[in-house]
Amino acid sequence: MSAPLGGDRLALDITAEDRAELEVTTAAATLALRGPTTAPATYDVRLTAGEGASLRWLPRPLISAAGSNLHQTCTVDLAATARLLLREEQLLGRADEKSGHLVSRIRVHRAGRPLLDQHTAYGDPEPGWDGPALLDGHRAVGQLLLVEPEMDAEHDPVLLRNGTHDGCAVLAPLAGGPALLATAVAPTSSALRELLDEALAHALGA
C-alpha cells in the first residue's frame, strides 16, 4: 500500500485465540511516503497469541522512500505455550534514492515477561546510520524471530555469510525464553529474504 504518509496514524490488531493457527501477510509492500506535513507517520501493529496458539506474521517489505518520516512499532503478547514466527523487512529507499527517516521498535512479552525490546533508526538525521559499524552501505535490513516452547534454544550465536557482498546475518538465542532472533543486512530485498530464509532453516534445525 502507498501509505503511510507523513502525519498518518495507522494501527493493526491481530489475535490468534487459544489453540488457533493463524498466518498473516500483506498483498504488497508497504510504501512510506512524504506527506502534506513533516510530522512523522505512525504504524502500530499489535499481535496476540493465546495458549497453544500459533501465529505467523510475515508481511511484505516496508519501503522507506526519500522524504518520508515513519515511526513503526510491533508489540507482541504471547501466552506461555504460544508459538510465533515474525519476519520484518525494511528497504531504505527505492532504486537510486536516499532513505527516508525510519524508526522501528519490536517489543515482545511472553507469559507476561519481557522477551525482546529492539529499537532501530535509519536515515537522516540519525548519526552514523549508514556507516561501516552499522549498515556499511547496505540498503535492506530485517529481523526474524522464532518462539517455540519445545525448542532447545541454548546455542551459541551463529554468523551467516560473514564478509560477503551479499550481506550477513546473526542468529542468536534470547535469554527470556525458547526463542531465536536473526538480524540481517543485505544489498537488496531478494538477498535479504535469502538470508532470513537461511536463518529460519538453521533455527528450525536447532
Side-chain angles (χ1 to χ4, degrees):
M1 61 180 177
S2 295
L5 305 177
D8 283 352
R9 300 289 184 267
L10 305 180
L12 184 62
D13 286 274
I14 299 169
T15 300
E17 301 288 355
D18 292 354
R19 295 175 297 281
E21 293 189 9
L22 179 62
E23 179 171 315
V24 183
T25 186
T26 53
T30 297
L31 180 59
L33 295 168
R34 179 197 300 269
T37 172
T38 58
T42 61
Y43 181 26
D44 298 320
V45 176
R46 294 180 286 269
L47 308 175
T48 304
E51 295 291 349
S54 176
L55 176 58
R56 296 165 62 91
W57 171 239
L58 306 171
R60 299 293 179 91
L62 166 67
I63 303 171
S64 178
S68 64
N69 187 4
L70 176 62
H71 292 190
Q72 175 181 263
T73 62
C74 182
T75 304
V76 185
D77 188 7
L78 302 174
T81 57
R83 300 183 301 278
L84 173 72
L85 176 60
L86 179 150
R87 185 186 68 223
E88 289 200 342
E89 302 168 65
Q90 295 98 27
L91 303 182
L92 305 176
R94 294 170 289 192
D96 299 321
E97 179 184 69
K98 291 183 178 180
S99 174
H101 184 217
L102 174 62
V103 178
S104 179
R105 188 175 184 183
I106 301 175
R107 292 180 293 181
V108 183
H109 281 74
R110 177 175 179 266
R113 303 185 63 180
L115 177 64
L116 174 67
D117 192 337
Q118 177 176 282
H119 180 275
T120 55
Y122 307 105
D124 294 335
E126 303 297 335
W129 68 275
D130 196 24
L134 296 177
L135 298 185
D136 195 21
H138 292 305
R139 282 294 182 267
V141 297
Q143 304 81 35
L144 185 141
L145 174 62
L146 178 66
V147 181
E148 175 57 63
E150 298 179 358
M151 176 176 61
D152 178 11
E154 295 184 2
H155 295 273
D156 293 332
V158 176
L159 183 60
L160 304 173
R161 301 190 191 179
N162 181 27
T164 72
H165 295 295
D166 294 330
C168 63
V170 175
L171 179 67
L174 297 182
L180 292 169
L181 174 68
T183 302
V185 297
T188 65
S189 176
S190 59
L192 177 68
R193 179 63 61 84
E194 289 179 3
L195 269 170
L196 293 178
D197 287 345
E198 185 176 335
L200 177 59
H202 198 287
L204 294 174

